[in-house]
Amino acid sequence: MEGSSEKRQREIILKTLADHGWQLAEDQEQFAVEICAEICQRGIADTTQERTAIQRAVMRHYCVILHAACAESNTSRQRRAFVELWNYLFPIALYKTHDAALAQDLAQQSLEKIWKHWVQCKDPASFLGYVRMVLINEIRDWFRKNNRATLEPIDEIVEIGTNPVSVQSGTEAERAENDDLRRQLLDVIEKCLKDPRQRAIIIESFLNECGYKEIAEMLDITVGNVHVLRHRALQTLRKCQVFIESLGDYFK
Amino acid sequence: MIAAISHRQIRQKLESSEADLLPPPLRRLARAAWNIQTDRKAHAQCRAALPALVDAEMDGELALFDISVREHVQTCDRCAPLYAELLELSLLDSLGRTPRITAFPSPDLSFLETSHD
């Protein structure tokens, strides 16, 4: 039983490496053993969750290898690392710009910035996240300099699903009953924000400390939509007299 | 009769230590609404931590991440959209929804042969 589970995990690990074209893990067997040990320690029962956890672990572990290879000086591993970074960045640049030539330019500029500033990446396990951030900044700079709006208008709310939003979920109501502050805040938010999605986002974000991803899944919208709705809700709250007065009560 | 507090007075109080009179969730919410960052030095540090914060959220470990970084992202109008964009890309990547390229153009790696200086 244990053997078949390890075999399945190993297959996912090797497939994840192959799908990304990641070749810098010299000893793939050892690489797989380390990840299997980590996953076993976490004891994930659900196979879908296990697959996601393995893929995330592969990415984290591989980021460390990639980061170290980028730091080498004029070696074939360093060249390979930058080719892999290119293969990672170019599709993202294409997705964001919808223009192959521009995507190529921006991915190239990002590669050079990464090479110059890779020491600024404080956490090698998040190296691909750092790399993505460099690219996004390059893309934003380009659009700003060329006075062009981003191709994905952040003001546009795209519905992914039609799940109804219930601000007064069971757990929400239970928590609110036991907490005066929460009740008071819920009351203010209810009065100030008419859009149930905006209410839900403010409550989940500030009262329940949920992240964008969790909220997006809850409301069946994209992370970008969560950000836009949150931004609008905060603007509304700032102008809302009920909210201002509730703050004023604390400052009396 | 106590005069109603003005928009400007709220801003001044949120920027001062008087903000500590507010319960933490309300303080965070108010500072986000008024776009007030208390520690400008923290901005660069938080920005550097954004990739790791995205990973923490992807791994379902957001609650374990440094609270000061999480709070900064909630209140900073420059970090919040960048964070949302990075997270969105990470999600698309994990779902395999970024474009699949069959023939990649080649990068110019000549910069690797030059010195960092």
Side-chain angles (χ1 to χ4, degrees), chain B residues 47-96:
Chain B
R47 216 168 168 86
L50 285 184
L53 184 63
V54 169
D55 280 348
E57 180 151 12
M58 289 295 293
D59 292 334
E61 292 171 354
L62 192 61
L64 304 176
F65 207 85
D66 185 347
I67 181 83
S68 63
V69 176
R70 284 190 282 142
E71 284 192 2
H72 177 83
V73 172
Q74 278 196 330
T75 55
C76 177
D77 68 342
R78 284 182 291 158
C79 288
L82 180 60
Y83 178 72
E85 199 164 1
L86 291 172
L87 183 62
E88 183 106 66
L89 279 177
S90 195
L91 278 165
L92 289 169
D93 191 34
S94 71
L95 296 169

mmCIF file of all heavy atoms in Angstrom, chain B residues 47-96:
data_model
loop_
_atom_site.group_PDB
_atom_site.id
_atom_site.type_symbol
_atom_site.label_atom_id
_atom_site.label_comp_id
_atom_site.label_asym_id
_atom_site.label_seq_id
_atom_site.Cartn_x
_atom_site.Cartn_y
_atom_site.Cartn_z
ATOM 1 N N ARG B 47 7.462 44.586 -0.090
ATOM 2 C CA ARG B 47 7.468 44.322 -1.529
ATOM 3 C C ARG B 47 8.381 43.124 -1.833
ATOM 4 O O ARG B 47 8.042 42.258 -2.631
ATOM 5 C CB ARG B 47 7.957 45.550 -2.270
ATOM 6 C CG ARG B 47 7.265 45.757 -3.583
ATOM 7 C CD ARG B 47 7.579 47.125 -4.114
ATOM 8 N NE ARG B 47 7.163 47.255 -5.488
ATOM 9 C CZ ARG B 47 5.945 47.598 -5.869
ATOM 10 N NH1 ARG B 47 5.027 47.845 -4.974
ATOM 11 N NH2 ARG B 47 5.644 47.695 -7.141
ATOM 12 N N ALA B 48 9.523 43.086 -1.161
ATOM 13 C CA ALA B 48 10.453 41.963 -1.362
ATOM 14 C C ALA B 48 9.841 40.649 -0.882
ATOM 15 O O ALA B 48 10.202 39.574 -1.367
ATOM 16 C CB ALA B 48 11.763 42.251 -0.641
ATOM 17 N N ALA B 49 8.921 40.762 0.069
ATOM 18 C CA ALA B 49 8.321 39.542 0.631
ATOM 19 C C ALA B 49 7.079 39.087 -0.136
ATOM 20 O O ALA B 49 6.520 38.030 0.168
ATOM 21 C CB ALA B 49 7.961 39.774 2.098
ATOM 22 N N LEU B 50 6.649 39.873 -1.143
ATOM 23 C CA LEU B 50 5.404 39.522 -1.856
ATOM 24 C C LEU B 50 5.434 38.128 -2.498
ATOM 25 O O LEU B 50 4.461 37.384 -2.383
ATOM 26 C CB LEU B 50 5.069 40.575 -2.920
ATOM 27 C CG LEU B 50 4.518 41.916 -2.418
ATOM 28 C CD1 LEU B 50 4.138 42.809 -3.593
ATOM 29 C CD2 LEU B 50 3.328 41.733 -1.501
ATOM 30 N N PRO B 51 6.551 37.744 -3.179
ATOM 31 C CA PRO B 51 6.547 36.395 -3.775
ATOM 32 C C PRO B 51 6.340 35.297 -2.729
ATOM 33 O O PRO B 51 5.592 34.333 -2.974
ATOM 34 C CB PRO B 51 7.938 36.290 -4.413
ATOM 35 C CG PRO B 51 8.347 37.700 -4.669
ATOM 36 C CD PRO B 51 7.770 38.488 -3.542
ATOM 37 N N ALA B 52 6.974 35.467 -1.580
ATOM 38 C CA ALA B 52 6.814 34.448 -0.529
ATOM 39 C C ALA B 52 5.396 34.477 0.036
ATOM 40 O O ALA B 52 4.837 33.433 0.403
ATOM 41 C CB ALA B 52 7.832 34.687 0.580
ATOM 42 N N LEU B 53 4.806 35.678 0.081
ATOM 43 C CA LEU B 53 3.425 35.791 0.579
ATOM 44 C C LEU B 53 2.457 35.084 -0.385
ATOM 45 O O LEU B 53 1.533 34.401 0.050
ATOM 46 C CB LEU B 53 3.053 37.276 0.731
ATOM 47 C CG LEU B 53 1.676 37.577 1.333
ATOM 48 C CD1 LEU B 53 1.578 37.071 2.765
ATOM 49 C CD2 LEU B 53 1.381 39.077 1.311
ATOM 50 N N VAL B 54 2.698 35.255 -1.673
ATOM 51 C CA VAL B 54 1.874 34.562 -2.684
ATOM 52 C C VAL B 54 1.989 33.047 -2.472
ATOM 53 O O VAL B 54 0.986 32.334 -2.449
ATOM 54 C CB VAL B 54 2.313 34.945 -4.118
ATOM 55 C CG1 VAL B 54 1.664 34.031 -5.152
ATOM 56 C CG2 VAL B 54 1.963 36.400 -4.415
ATOM 57 N N ASP B 55 3.212 32.574 -2.299
ATOM 58 C CA ASP B 55 3.415 31.134 -2.083
ATOM 59 C C ASP B 55 2.695 30.660 -0.825
ATOM 60 O O ASP B 55 2.109 29.581 -0.807
ATOM 61 C CB ASP B 55 4.916 30.816 -1.975
ATOM 62 C CG ASP B 55 5.560 30.730 -3.354
ATOM 63 O OD1 ASP B 55 4.828 30.693 -4.350
ATOM 64 O OD2 ASP B 55 6.803 30.712 -3.426
ATOM 65 N N ALA B 56 2.751 31.485 0.220
ATOM 66 C CA ALA B 56 2.078 31.099 1.475
ATOM 67 C C ALA B 56 0.578 30.961 1.239
ATOM 68 O O ALA B 56 -0.054 30.015 1.725
ATOM 69 C CB ALA B 56 2.356 32.135 2.560
ATOM 70 N N GLU B 57 0.017 31.903 0.478
ATOM 71 C CA GLU B 57 -1.430 31.817 0.207
ATOM 72 C C GLU B 57 -1.743 30.605 -0.674
ATOM 73 O O GLU B 57 -2.718 29.901 -0.453
ATOM 74 C CB GLU B 57 -1.946 33.111 -0.433
ATOM 75 C CG GLU B 57 -3.434 33.024 -0.702
ATOM 76 C CD GLU B 57 -4.194 34.331 -0.678
ATOM 77 O OE1 GLU B 57 -3.574 35.396 -0.667
ATOM 78 O OE2 GLU B 57 -5.434 34.257 -0.666
ATOM 79 N N MET B 58 -0.884 30.350 -1.646
ATOM 80 C CA MET B 58 -1.090 29.183 -2.517
ATOM 81 C C MET B 58 -1.003 27.878 -1.714
ATOM 82 O O MET B 58 -1.669 26.908 -2.035
ATOM 83 C CB MET B 58 -0.038 29.159 -3.628
ATOM 84 C CG MET B 58 -0.191 30.234 -4.684
ATOM 85 S SD MET B 58 -1.686 30.085 -5.659
ATOM 86 C CE MET B 58 -1.388 28.573 -6.563
ATOM 87 N N ASP B 59 -0.154 27.880 -0.688
ATOM 88 C CA ASP B 59 0.026 26.675 0.125
ATOM 89 C C ASP B 59 -0.965 26.592 1.292
ATOM 90 O O ASP B 59 -0.863 25.696 2.127
ATOM 91 C CB ASP B 59 1.465 26.620 0.681
ATOM 92 C CG ASP B 59 2.481 26.391 -0.434
ATOM 93 O OD1 ASP B 59 2.105 25.813 -1.462
ATOM 94 O OD2 ASP B 59 3.651 26.806 -0.279
ATOM 95 N N GLY B 60 -1.872 27.568 1.363
ATOM 96 C CA GLY B 60 -2.848 27.576 2.459
ATOM 97 C C GLY B 60 -2.217 27.886 3.799
ATOM 98 O O GLY B 60 -2.713 27.460 4.845
ATOM 99 N N GLU B 61 -1.103 28.618 3.767
ATOM 100 C CA GLU B 61 -0.406 28.921 5.022
ATOM 101 C C GLU B 61 -0.324 30.428 5.273
ATOM 102 O O GLU B 61 0.606 30.910 5.923
ATOM 103 C CB GLU B 61 1.003 28.313 4.984
ATOM 104 C CG GLU B 61 0.964 26.800 5.006
ATOM 105 C CD GLU B 61 2.314 26.152 4.746
ATOM 106 O OE1 GLU B 61 3.268 26.872 4.430
ATOM 107 O OE2 GLU B 61 2.377 24.917 4.852
ATOM 108 N N LEU B 62 -1.301 31.141 4.762
ATOM 109 C CA LEU B 62 -1.295 32.598 4.872
ATOM 110 C C LEU B 62 -1.266 33.058 6.333
ATOM 111 O O LEU B 62 -0.550 34.006 6.681
ATOM 112 C CB LEU B 62 -2.538 33.168 4.179
ATOM 113 C CG LEU B 62 -2.573 34.662 3.936
ATOM 114 C CD1 LEU B 62 -1.435 35.095 3.039
ATOM 115 C CD2 LEU B 62 -3.903 35.070 3.316
ATOM 116 N N ALA B 63 -2.033 32.365 7.169
ATOM 117 C CA ALA B 63 -2.138 32.780 8.579
ATOM 118 C C ALA B 63 -0.794 32.695 9.299
ATOM 119 O O ALA B 63 -0.595 33.340 10.323
ATOM 120 C CB ALA B 63 -3.177 31.931 9.289
ATOM 121 N N LEU B 64 0.123 31.868 8.755
ATOM 122 C CA LEU B 64 1.426 31.701 9.418
ATOM 123 C C LEU B 64 2.422 32.781 8.990
ATOM 124 O O LEU B 64 3.504 32.893 9.556
ATOM 125 C CB LEU B 64 2.016 30.318 9.082
ATOM 126 C CG LEU B 64 1.143 29.102 9.412
ATOM 127 C CD1 LEU B 64 1.811 27.830 8.939
ATOM 128 C CD2 LEU B 64 0.879 29.030 10.912
ATOM 129 N N PHE B 65 2.046 33.545 7.984
ATOM 130 C CA PHE B 65 2.995 34.526 7.430
ATOM 131 C C PHE B 65 3.061 35.769 8.317
ATOM 132 O O PHE B 65 2.099 36.134 8.983
ATOM 133 C CB PHE B 65 2.578 34.913 6.012
ATOM 134 C CG PHE B 65 3.718 35.355 5.146
ATOM 135 C CD1 PHE B 65 4.477 34.430 4.460
ATOM 136 C CD2 PHE B 65 4.058 36.691 5.051
ATOM 137 C CE1 PHE B 65 5.549 34.830 3.676
ATOM 138 C CE2 PHE B 65 5.116 37.104 4.273
ATOM 139 C CZ PHE B 65 5.869 36.165 3.577
ATOM 140 N N ASP B 66 4.223 36.422 8.286
ATOM 141 C CA ASP B 66 4.484 37.639 9.053
ATOM 142 C C ASP B 66 3.289 38.618 8.978
ATOM 143 O O ASP B 66 2.949 39.116 7.909
ATOM 144 C CB ASP B 66 5.742 38.305 8.467
ATOM 145 C CG ASP B 66 6.187 39.520 9.272
ATOM 146 O OD1 ASP B 66 5.402 39.988 10.109
ATOM 147 O OD2 ASP B 66 7.315 39.979 9.052
ATOM 148 N N ILE B 67 2.705 38.897 10.121
ATOM 149 C CA ILE B 67 1.496 39.729 10.178
ATOM 150 C C ILE B 67 1.752 41.146 9.653
ATOM 151 O O ILE B 67 0.878 41.750 9.023
ATOM 152 C CB ILE B 67 0.917 39.762 11.629
ATOM 153 C CG1 ILE B 67 -0.376 40.599 11.729
ATOM 154 C CG2 ILE B 67 1.908 40.319 12.635
ATOM 155 C CD1 ILE B 67 -1.601 39.867 11.335
ATOM 156 N N SER B 68 2.967 41.663 9.867
ATOM 157 C CA SER B 68 3.237 43.043 9.434
ATOM 158 C C SER B 68 3.196 43.147 7.905
ATOM 159 O O SER B 68 2.739 44.145 7.358
ATOM 160 C CB SER B 68 4.568 43.537 9.991
ATOM 161 O OG SER B 68 5.617 42.754 9.478
ATOM 162 N N VAL B 69 3.650 42.093 7.233
ATOM 163 C CA VAL B 69 3.615 42.091 5.769
ATOM 164 C C VAL B 69 2.162 41.991 5.299
ATOM 165 O O VAL B 69 1.718 42.729 4.412
ATOM 166 C CB VAL B 69 4.446 40.919 5.187
ATOM 167 C CG1 VAL B 69 4.329 40.863 3.675
ATOM 168 C CG2 VAL B 69 5.904 41.047 5.590
ATOM 169 N N ARG B 70 1.400 41.098 5.925
ATOM 170 C CA ARG B 70 -0.002 40.936 5.539
ATOM 171 C C ARG B 70 -0.775 42.232 5.744
ATOM 172 O O ARG B 70 -1.576 42.643 4.911
ATOM 173 C CB ARG B 70 -0.647 39.812 6.353
ATOM 174 C CG ARG B 70 -0.217 38.437 5.869
ATOM 175 C CD ARG B 70 -1.048 37.364 6.511
ATOM 176 N NE ARG B 70 -0.606 37.109 7.876
ATOM 177 C CZ ARG B 70 -1.424 36.834 8.894
ATOM 178 N NH1 ARG B 70 -2.715 36.814 8.728
ATOM 179 N NH2 ARG B 70 -0.937 36.592 10.092
ATOM 180 N N GLU B 71 -0.502 42.897 6.854
ATOM 181 C CA GLU B 71 -1.206 44.152 7.139
ATOM 182 C C GLU B 71 -0.808 45.232 6.145
ATOM 183 O O GLU B 71 -1.623 46.036 5.724
ATOM 184 C CB GLU B 71 -0.915 44.604 8.574
ATOM 185 C CG GLU B 71 -1.689 43.792 9.575
ATOM 186 C CD GLU B 71 -1.662 44.368 10.975
ATOM 187 O OE1 GLU B 71 -1.064 45.436 11.194
ATOM 188 O OE2 GLU B 71 -2.246 43.715 11.856
ATOM 189 N N HIS B 72 0.476 45.250 5.802
ATOM 190 C CA HIS B 72 0.934 46.256 4.844
ATOM 191 C C HIS B 72 0.226 46.073 3.496
ATOM 192 O O HIS B 72 -0.240 47.045 2.897
ATOM 193 C CB HIS B 72 2.455 46.172 4.655
ATOM 194 C CG HIS B 72 2.952 47.130 3.623
ATOM 195 N ND1 HIS B 72 3.203 48.456 3.904
ATOM 196 C CD2 HIS B 72 3.194 46.981 2.303
ATOM 197 C CE1 HIS B 72 3.581 49.065 2.795
ATOM 198 N NE2 HIS B 72 3.599 48.188 1.806
ATOM 199 N N VAL B 73 0.137 44.831 3.058
ATOM 200 C CA VAL B 73 -0.507 44.565 1.766
ATOM 201 C C VAL B 73 -1.981 44.975 1.813
ATOM 202 O O VAL B 73 -2.538 45.452 0.827
ATOM 203 C CB VAL B 73 -0.344 43.077 1.370
ATOM 204 C CG1 VAL B 73 -1.159 42.740 0.132
ATOM 205 C CG2 VAL B 73 1.125 42.776 1.100
ATOM 206 N N GLN B 74 -2.584 44.840 2.971
ATOM 207 C CA GLN B 74 -3.997 45.228 3.093
ATOM 208 C C GLN B 74 -4.181 46.740 2.979
ATOM 209 O O GLN B 74 -5.218 47.209 2.526
ATOM 210 C CB GLN B 74 -4.553 44.770 4.441
ATOM 211 C CG GLN B 74 -4.967 43.308 4.439
ATOM 212 C CD GLN B 74 -5.846 42.967 5.624
ATOM 213 O OE1 GLN B 74 -5.730 43.560 6.686
ATOM 214 N NE2 GLN B 74 -6.721 42.008 5.447
ATOM 215 N N THR B 75 -3.166 47.500 3.395
ATOM 216 C CA THR B 75 -3.362 48.948 3.438
ATOM 217 C C THR B 75 -2.621 49.706 2.324
ATOM 218 O O THR B 75 -2.914 50.871 2.102
ATOM 219 C CB THR B 75 -2.894 49.523 4.794
ATOM 220 O OG1 THR B 75 -1.548 49.127 5.019
ATOM 221 C CG2 THR B 75 -3.756 49.040 5.943
ATOM 222 N N CYS B 76 -1.682 49.063 1.645
ATOM 223 C CA CYS B 76 -0.865 49.781 0.654
ATOM 224 C C CYS B 76 -1.515 49.698 -0.734
ATOM 225 O O CYS B 76 -1.729 48.600 -1.252
ATOM 226 C CB CYS B 76 0.537 49.179 0.609
ATOM 227 S SG CYS B 76 1.573 49.941 -0.636
ATOM 228 N N ASP B 77 -1.784 50.851 -1.320
ATOM 229 C CA ASP B 77 -2.474 50.833 -2.617
ATOM 230 C C ASP B 77 -1.536 50.518 -3.772
ATOM 231 O O ASP B 77 -1.968 50.428 -4.919
ATOM 232 C CB ASP B 77 -3.237 52.140 -2.865
ATOM 233 C CG ASP B 77 -2.314 53.321 -3.063
ATOM 234 O OD1 ASP B 77 -1.137 53.220 -2.675
ATOM 235 O OD2 ASP B 77 -2.771 54.345 -3.599
ATOM 236 N N ARG B 78 -0.235 50.371 -3.509
ATOM 237 C CA ARG B 78 0.685 49.936 -4.573
ATOM 238 C C ARG B 78 0.955 48.437 -4.463
ATOM 239 O O ARG B 78 1.049 47.736 -5.461
ATOM 240 C CB ARG B 78 1.997 50.727 -4.496
ATOM 241 C CG ARG B 78 1.839 52.154 -5.033
ATOM 242 C CD ARG B 78 3.132 52.905 -4.993
ATOM 243 N NE ARG B 78 3.550 53.184 -3.625
ATOM 244 C CZ ARG B 78 4.801 53.440 -3.265
ATOM 245 N NH1 ARG B 78 5.757 53.442 -4.160
ATOM 246 N NH2 ARG B 78 5.095 53.691 -2.005
ATOM 247 N N CYS B 79 1.101 47.968 -3.224
ATOM 248 C CA CYS B 79 1.382 46.531 -3.041
ATOM 249 C C CYS B 79 0.137 45.664 -3.293
ATOM 250 O O CYS B 79 0.254 44.557 -3.815
ATOM 251 C CB CYS B 79 1.903 46.262 -1.629
ATOM 252 S SG CYS B 79 3.584 46.854 -1.393
ATOM 253 N N ALA B 80 -1.035 46.177 -2.914
ATOM 254 C CA ALA B 80 -2.256 45.358 -3.033
ATOM 255 C C ALA B 80 -2.534 44.930 -4.483
ATOM 256 O O ALA B 80 -2.744 43.735 -4.727
ATOM 257 C CB ALA B 80 -3.454 46.078 -2.427
ATOM 258 N N PRO B 81 -2.502 45.874 -5.480
ATOM 259 C CA PRO B 81 -2.762 45.406 -6.850
ATOM 260 C C PRO B 81 -1.671 44.493 -7.396
ATOM 261 O O PRO B 81 -1.957 43.545 -8.127
ATOM 262 C CB PRO B 81 -2.857 46.693 -7.680
ATOM 263 C CG PRO B 81 -2.330 47.784 -6.840
ATOM 264 C CD PRO B 81 -2.405 47.338 -5.414
ATOM 265 N N LEU B 82 -0.421 44.776 -7.001
ATOM 266 C CA LEU B 82 0.682 43.921 -7.462
ATOM 267 C C LEU B 82 0.519 42.515 -6.886
ATOM 268 O O LEU B 82 0.695 41.509 -7.589
ATOM 269 C CB LEU B 82 2.036 44.531 -7.050
ATOM 270 C CG LEU B 82 3.272 43.747 -7.456
ATOM 271 C CD1 LEU B 82 3.367 43.595 -8.968
ATOM 272 C CD2 LEU B 82 4.547 44.434 -6.939
ATOM 273 N N TYR B 83 0.158 42.477 -5.620
ATOM 274 C CA TYR B 83 -0.053 41.184 -4.964
ATOM 275 C C TYR B 83 -1.170 40.399 -5.671
ATOM 276 O O TYR B 83 -1.029 39.206 -5.948
ATOM 277 C CB TYR B 83 -0.385 41.389 -3.484
ATOM 278 C CG TYR B 83 -0.660 40.099 -2.781
ATOM 279 C CD1 TYR B 83 0.383 39.217 -2.512
ATOM 280 C CD2 TYR B 83 -1.949 39.718 -2.426
ATOM 281 C CE1 TYR B 83 0.140 38.009 -1.900
ATOM 282 C CE2 TYR B 83 -2.202 38.518 -1.815
ATOM 283 C CZ TYR B 83 -1.148 37.661 -1.543
ATOM 284 O OH TYR B 83 -1.392 36.459 -0.953
ATOM 285 N N ALA B 84 -2.273 41.103 -5.964
ATOM 286 C CA ALA B 84 -3.411 40.436 -6.625
ATOM 287 C C ALA B 84 -2.979 39.887 -7.984
ATOM 288 O O ALA B 84 -3.353 38.769 -8.360
ATOM 289 C CB ALA B 84 -4.565 41.415 -6.787
ATOM 290 N N GLU B 85 -2.171 40.664 -8.702
ATOM 291 C CA GLU B 85 -1.729 40.237 -10.033
ATOM 292 C C GLU B 85 -0.805 39.017 -9.940
ATOM 293 O O GLU B 85 -0.920 38.076 -10.720
ATOM 294 C CB GLU B 85 -1.018 41.411 -10.713
ATOM 295 C CG GLU B 85 -0.921 41.251 -12.204
ATOM 296 C CD GLU B 85 -0.588 42.543 -12.932
ATOM 297 O OE1 GLU B 85 -0.414 43.579 -12.268
ATOM 298 O OE2 GLU B 85 -0.483 42.491 -14.169
ATOM 299 N N LEU B 86 0.100 39.056 -8.972
ATOM 300 C CA LEU B 86 1.030 37.927 -8.804
ATOM 301 C C LEU B 86 0.291 36.660 -8.393
ATOM 302 O O LEU B 86 0.588 35.563 -8.876
ATOM 303 C CB LEU B 86 2.094 38.273 -7.748
ATOM 304 C CG LEU B 86 3.110 39.344 -8.138
ATOM 305 C CD1 LEU B 86 3.962 39.732 -6.942
ATOM 306 C CD2 LEU B 86 3.996 38.852 -9.277
ATOM 307 N N LEU B 87 -0.670 36.837 -7.519
ATOM 308 C CA LEU B 87 -1.442 35.679 -7.056
ATOM 309 C C LEU B 87 -2.266 35.090 -8.197
ATOM 310 O O LEU B 87 -2.342 33.871 -8.369
ATOM 311 C CB LEU B 87 -2.341 36.101 -5.885
ATOM 312 C CG LEU B 87 -3.169 34.997 -5.233
ATOM 313 C CD1 LEU B 87 -2.277 33.924 -4.621
ATOM 314 C CD2 LEU B 87 -4.078 35.583 -4.163
ATOM 315 N N GLU B 88 -2.853 35.988 -8.980
ATOM 316 C CA GLU B 88 -3.659 35.548 -10.131
ATOM 317 C C GLU B 88 -2.793 34.726 -11.096
ATOM 318 O O GLU B 88 -3.201 33.664 -11.570
ATOM 319 C CB GLU B 88 -4.211 36.778 -10.848
ATOM 320 C CG GLU B 88 -5.114 36.445 -12.010
ATOM 321 C CD GLU B 88 -6.572 36.710 -11.690
ATOM 322 O OE1 GLU B 88 -6.899 37.881 -11.510
ATOM 323 O OE2 GLU B 88 -7.347 35.750 -11.588
ATOM 324 N N LEU B 89 -1.589 35.220 -11.358
ATOM 325 C CA LEU B 89 -0.683 34.504 -12.268
ATOM 326 C C LEU B 89 -0.295 33.145 -11.704
ATOM 327 O O LEU B 89 -0.210 32.152 -12.426
ATOM 328 C CB LEU B 89 0.585 35.315 -12.511
ATOM 329 C CG LEU B 89 0.493 36.427 -13.547
ATOM 330 C CD1 LEU B 89 1.810 37.179 -13.614
ATOM 331 C CD2 LEU B 89 0.146 35.846 -14.916
ATOM 332 N N SER B 90 -0.054 33.126 -10.407
ATOM 333 C CA SER B 90 0.326 31.879 -9.764
ATOM 334 C C SER B 90 -0.810 30.857 -9.862
ATOM 335 O O SER B 90 -0.585 29.671 -10.111
ATOM 336 C CB SER B 90 0.677 32.178 -8.299
ATOM 337 O OG SER B 90 1.351 31.111 -7.741
ATOM 338 N N LEU B 91 -2.028 31.344 -9.679
ATOM 339 C CA LEU B 91 -3.199 30.454 -9.788
ATOM 340 C C LEU B 91 -3.357 29.938 -11.218
ATOM 341 O O LEU B 91 -3.592 28.750 -11.433
ATOM 342 C CB LEU B 91 -4.466 31.220 -9.393
ATOM 343 C CG LEU B 91 -4.740 31.322 -7.897
ATOM 344 C CD1 LEU B 91 -5.792 32.387 -7.617
ATOM 345 C CD2 LEU B 91 -5.205 29.982 -7.354
ATOM 346 N N LEU B 92 -3.222 30.855 -12.182
ATOM 347 C CA LEU B 92 -3.338 30.450 -13.589
ATOM 348 C C LEU B 92 -2.281 29.411 -13.925
ATOM 349 O O LEU B 92 -2.547 28.426 -14.609
ATOM 350 C CB LEU B 92 -3.174 31.669 -14.511
ATOM 351 C CG LEU B 92 -4.330 32.672 -14.520
ATOM 352 C CD1 LEU B 92 -3.925 33.937 -15.260
ATOM 353 C CD2 LEU B 92 -5.557 32.059 -15.182
ATOM 354 N N ASP B 93 -1.090 29.644 -13.418
ATOM 355 C CA ASP B 93 0.025 28.729 -13.658
ATOM 356 C C ASP B 93 -0.286 27.353 -13.057
ATOM 357 O O ASP B 93 -0.091 26.315 -13.695
ATOM 358 C CB ASP B 93 1.294 29.331 -13.047
ATOM 359 C CG ASP B 93 2.535 28.583 -13.483
ATOM 360 O OD1 ASP B 93 2.559 28.106 -14.627
ATOM 361 O OD2 ASP B 93 3.473 28.471 -12.685
ATOM 362 N N SER B 94 -0.792 27.361 -11.826
ATOM 363 C CA SER B 94 -1.061 26.079 -11.168
ATOM 364 C C SER B 94 -2.196 25.332 -11.864
ATOM 365 O O SER B 94 -2.271 24.111 -11.809
ATOM 366 C CB SER B 94 -1.379 26.287 -9.691
ATOM 367 O OG SER B 94 -2.640 26.893 -9.547
ATOM 368 N N LEU B 95 -3.098 26.085 -12.514
ATOM 369 C CA LEU B 95 -4.201 25.438 -13.230
ATOM 370 C C LEU B 95 -3.839 25.125 -14.684
ATOM 371 O O LEU B 95 -4.659 24.628 -15.443
ATOM 372 C CB LEU B 95 -5.444 26.351 -13.208
ATOM 373 C CG LEU B 95 -6.045 26.633 -11.831
ATOM 374 C CD1 LEU B 95 -7.079 27.748 -11.909
ATOM 375 C CD2 LEU B 95 -6.678 25.375 -11.247
ATOM 376 N N GLY B 96 -2.604 25.480 -15.061
ATOM 377 C CA GLY B 96 -2.144 25.229 -16.432
ATOM 378 C C GLY B 96 -2.850 26.103 -17.451
ATOM 379 O O GLY B 96 -3.071 25.694 -18.589
#
